[in-house]
Amino acid sequence: MHNGSCHFRPLELTSDLDRVVDFYADAPDYWEMAEGSPPGLEKAKEFFEDIPSKCNPEEIHRLGFFLGERLSGIADLFFDFPDDGDAYIGLMMLGPWARNKGSGKIFLNHLEGLARAGKAKNLYIAVMTINPKGRAFWEREGFLATGLSGMSVVGDHQQELHRLLKPL
């Protein structure tokens, strides 16, 4: 577990794009697994710009998880997706140096607090079939399979996604 040297803060395109680019360069494994290539500037811009349909852009949280001064995790949280009154974690990832130390639980607890403060009744996430460690984490933290699945296609790279749900 951490000794209290972790903190969170909102990430902004104008001031934090380079930080996210550097974070992705240091932690490319998720994107290599998901899309078959390492992330770069365009993928970092997507983190700041992608918004699911019908989400209110004013109610989006894009957060950095810092260990000391180092950006060690990123996440985004959307509201009213997939349905009104729901919250959705579009992405939550940690750098390899922050994994297996309790960071995921700390980061998720912070996101859940934001979802509850936003009056969300349910918190959703999609997890890839090829990411069993990720799925095991979400299930340990109380997420349940919804039975809904779909495909993510990036170029010629396809991944099956499964939607998980945690009642708040």
Side-chain angles (χ1 to χ4, degrees):
M1 288 301 279
H2 295 292
N3 60 10
S5 65
C6 68
H7 66 279
F8 312 95
R9 75 164 174 78
L11 297 175
E12 302 291 336
L13 176 63
T14 51
S15 56
D16 294 309
L17 179 61
D18 288 346
R19 267 188 197 86
V20 174
V21 169
D22 291 345
F23 172 75
Y24 280 171
D26 292 343
D29 54 332
Y30 174 83
W31 294 114
E32 289 170 343
M33 176 178 56
E35 298 182 354
S37 61
L41 178 62
E42 290 308 310
K43 185 56 62 182
K45 284 181 182 173
E46 283 178 23
F47 171 73
F48 292 101
E49 296 169 351
D50 279 2
I51 302 173
S53 61
K54 78 183 203 112
C55 289
N56 180 346
E58 302 300 312
E59 294 181 342
I60 295 171
H61 295 277
R62 287 181 170 64
L63 295 172
F65 174 81
F66 290 81
L67 295 175
E69 295 302 309
R70 186 177 190 186
L71 179 60
S72 297
I74 62 172
D76 51 20
L77 181 68
F78 304 99
F79 288 90
D80 294 327
F81 183 84
D83 293 308
D84 290 351
D86 293 330
Y88 186 85
I89 299 171
L91 175 70
M92 185 181 111
M93 74 182 278
L94 295 170
W97 60 93
R99 296 178 196 153
N100 303 311
K101 296 179 175 138
S103 300
K105 187 175 190 64
I106 291 166
F107 205 0
L108 177 59
N109 286 343
H110 185 73
L111 293 169
E112 284 183 19
L114 293 171
R116 285 187 179 94
K119 307 282 191 263
K121 305 279 188 269
N122 298 299
L123 183 59
Y124 287 88
I125 186 143
V127 65
M128 294 181 295
T129 300
I130 63 164
N131 188 7
K133 285 184 180 178
R135 184 168 185 146
F137 166 78
W138 297 114
E139 289 177 344
R140 269 195 318 275
E141 296 303 319
F143 283 77
L144 309 166
T146 63
L148 292 173
S149 62
M151 295 299 286
S152 166
V153 179
V154 176
D156 59 1
H157 221 74
Q158 294 186 47
Q159 297 298 342
E160 186 176 27
L161 299 170
H162 303 277
R163 188 175 287 169
L164 306 181
L165 150 77
K166 183 173 185 176
L168 298 177

